[in-house]
Amino acid sequence: MRRRGTATARITDVTRLDDVEGLIEFAAGEYGPVDHLVNNAGLLLFSKWSERAVDDWDRMIDTNLRGYVHAISAVLPGLIARRSGHILNLSSVAGIRVGHAGGVYSATKFFIRGITDSLRQEVGSTHGIQVSMISPGALNQPTDVTVYDIVIHPTRQDW
């Protein structure tokens, strides 16, 4: 396999709009306009309502809601101006079915479902921007399955 290209990293706090905008400016400066956003920031902290884990709930809300809204806000003006692009929001099956001790997490994933649909209706047909969502679930992955198997050979059926 021939390898080429570069990768760059930048620490970003998605709960801070200025950090996210800085990331988008950095990426645009290094690679050109941002045409695709994979919105995948997320935090899962299990707690029952009766535990009143408000600090944990606030952290999940800040990351799982504000993080997505900040990223969309940072890329949307450029996508609209170019009348093209793609926003992919990663949600979870928890946004469809609430699990044990996951009420706040599930609520944040329901939120992602709502913003995806709203954004698709607003900018999809009128501005040529694709908006989609994936809701992965928890996996019981066999120990002999690697990222290579999942990404490069996803059709392997013998695991």
Side-chain angles (χ1 to χ4, degrees), residues 77-93:
L79 299 180
I80 289 173
R82 290 185 300 282
R83 300 191 59 76
S84 69
H86 188 190
I87 296 172
L88 173 61
N89 291 325
L90 275 285
S91 184
S92 167
V93 294

Side-chain angles (χ1 to χ4, degrees), residues 76-133:
L76 196 56
L79 299 180
I80 289 173
R82 290 185 300 282
R83 300 191 59 76
S84 69
H86 188 190
I87 296 172
L88 173 61
N89 291 325
L90 275 285
S91 184
S92 167
V93 294
I96 300 166
R97 183 170 179 251
V98 179
H100 177 72
V104 173
Y105 177 75
S106 287
T108 67
K109 298 306 176 175
F110 275 93
F111 172 85
I112 292 167
R113 213 170 151 190
I115 64 170
T116 301
D117 194 35
S118 172
L119 193 58
R120 183 184 316 107
Q121 290 177 33
E122 183 178 329
V123 302
S125 61
T126 58
H127 296 288
I129 300 166
Q130 295 178 345
V131 182
S132 52
M133 181 184 78

Side-chain angles (χ1 to χ4, degrees), residues 41-59:
L43 180 62
L44 166 58
L45 303 169
F46 291 106
S47 63
K48 296 177 183 175
W49 290 106
S50 60
E51 294 171 348
R52 301 187 66 231
V54 176
D55 289 340
D56 286 351
W57 301 342
D58 285 345
R59 288 175 52 214

Side-chain angles (χ1 to χ4, degrees), residues 138-142:
L139 298 173
N140 290 328
Q141 178 178 320

